[in-house]
Amino acid sequence: MTGFWDGRKVLLTGATRGIGAVMAGELAARGATVLAVARNPARLEDLARRLGPACDVLEADLADPDIPRGVVNWVRDQHPECSVVINNAAVMRYPRLVREGDHFDGIDEEVRINAVAPMQIGVGLLPTLAQRPGARIVNVTSGLAVAPKADAPIYCATKAAMRSFTRTLRYQVEDAGLDIGICEALLPVVDTTLSKGAPERKMPPDEAARAILAGAAAGQQEIWIGKTRLLKRIMRLSPALAHGIMRRMEA
């Protein structure tokens, strides 16, 4: 894995917390330069201090509809050598949509951060990536893209959308003859602030981060991580059983 990442510039969204923060450190340790995107300036400053010259940072709130274009322009103008995009940023809310209340803003935020922004960033950087051998776009999704759970409807919908988008973008990239690997990393429940539930039932973020990077380096189109491999098998045997299990799961 070290050989693949050495010398690469990697755009990483959601780079200052959870899996993203671990991936940033792992990438720097493997010789990559991390182009870290996140919306918390204090955390970005701390990341830049820890990684030093192996990191450049951009404060960006991906919920803002103008920001993805700004991220693309930043990479094009200042880091045209970028050869990997890891769309990792995500938010997960737990709205009870059947209850009265204005859910409009919450829905908009989740859809923009989890689906619209990564679609725009990936597509916007296709011409840049096409100039670099062995380029990758890695979209981080979830087992919930395969079978949703009841209390996170918007998150599950956005991850399902990204799963479909990743596959169809791969079709178009292959048909165009572009040397860009289009990868999807399907995560189980990981021990971060994004999820609920007991920590002992979750995958450690460092383990999840290493699995994403290993799969991306190997050029895997689908990186099934941890318990998502079991979910994949259950879906083949009985989709109804898989949906029943996932519907009530804690995450």
Side-chain angles (χ1 to χ4, degrees):
M1 186 168 66
T2 302
F4 176 81
W5 297 108
D6 189 32
R8 290 190 180 272
K9 283 193 172 183
V10 181
L11 177 67
L12 174 63
T13 67
T16 60
R17 301 181 67 178
I19 299 168
V22 178
M23 277 197 286
E26 291 281 339
L27 286 165
R30 286 160 170 73
T33 299
V34 181
L35 310 179
V37 173
R39 57 182 173 182
N40 186 308
R43 289 180 180 271
L44 281 170
E45 183 179 344
D46 179 66
L47 183 67
R49 184 169 53 250
R50 288 191 292 108
L51 300 187
C55 181
D56 194 7
V57 301
L58 179 69
E59 180 185 347
D61 183 354
L62 297 179
D64 184 327
D66 295 323
I67 289 299
R69 187 183 299 274
V71 173
V72 169
N73 290 339
W74 175 64
V75 174
R76 284 177 175 172
D77 296 343
Q78 299 191 33
H79 300 285
E81 308 87 357
C82 179
S83 62
V84 180
V85 172
I86 303 178
N87 282 310
N88 168 70
V91 294
M92 181 188 282
R93 309 297 187 213
Y94 299 89
R96 290 294 176 182
L97 302 178
V98 296
R99 295 176 181 170
E100 289 187 12
D102 185 351
H103 299 289
F104 281 47
D105 289 343
I107 291 172
D108 185 72
E109 181 190 40
E110 280 197 82
V111 171
R112 287 192 177 280
I113 292 175
N114 296 357
V116 176
M119 289 181 186
Q120 292 174 328
I121 290 170
V123 171
L125 287 174
L126 283 175
T128 300
L129 298 173
Q131 304 304 310
R132 302 292 160 188
R136 304 274 195 275
I137 295 175
V138 184
N139 292 327
V140 179
T141 67
S142 165
L144 299 175
V146 179
K149 73 193 198 80
D151 64 351
I154 313 308
Y155 178 87
C156 296
T158 59
K159 292 304 182 180
M162 285 304 300
R163 178 162 171 74
S164 176
F165 173 77
T166 302
R167 181 178 291 272
T168 52
L169 180 62
R170 185 184 304 122
Y171 293 160
Q172 293 198 12
V173 165
E174 290 173 349
D175 290 347
L178 300 178
D179 182 22
I180 305 173
I182 309 297
C183 310
E184 178 190 8
L186 295 99
L187 290 174
V189 182
V190 180
D191 188 15
T192 70
T193 56
L194 192 72
S195 61
K196 299 188 295 186
E200 64 270 14
R201 299 176 61 185
K202 304 178 184 180
M203 174 176 278
D206 57 339
E207 186 177 339
R210 287 194 295 268
I212 293 171
L213 298 181
Q220 294 178 18
Q221 292 183 346
E222 293 185 346
I223 309 165
W224 295 82
I225 298 171
K227 293 180 180 179
T228 65
R229 294 191 289 269
L230 176 59
L231 173 63
K232 182 181 180 181
R233 292 195 293 270
I234 296 173
M235 282 293 292
R236 287 175 175 171
L237 294 172
S238 173
L241 176 60
H243 282 287
I245 293 170
M246 298 296 286
R247 176 179 179 177
R248 301 299 182 188
M249 73 172 290
E250 282 193 344

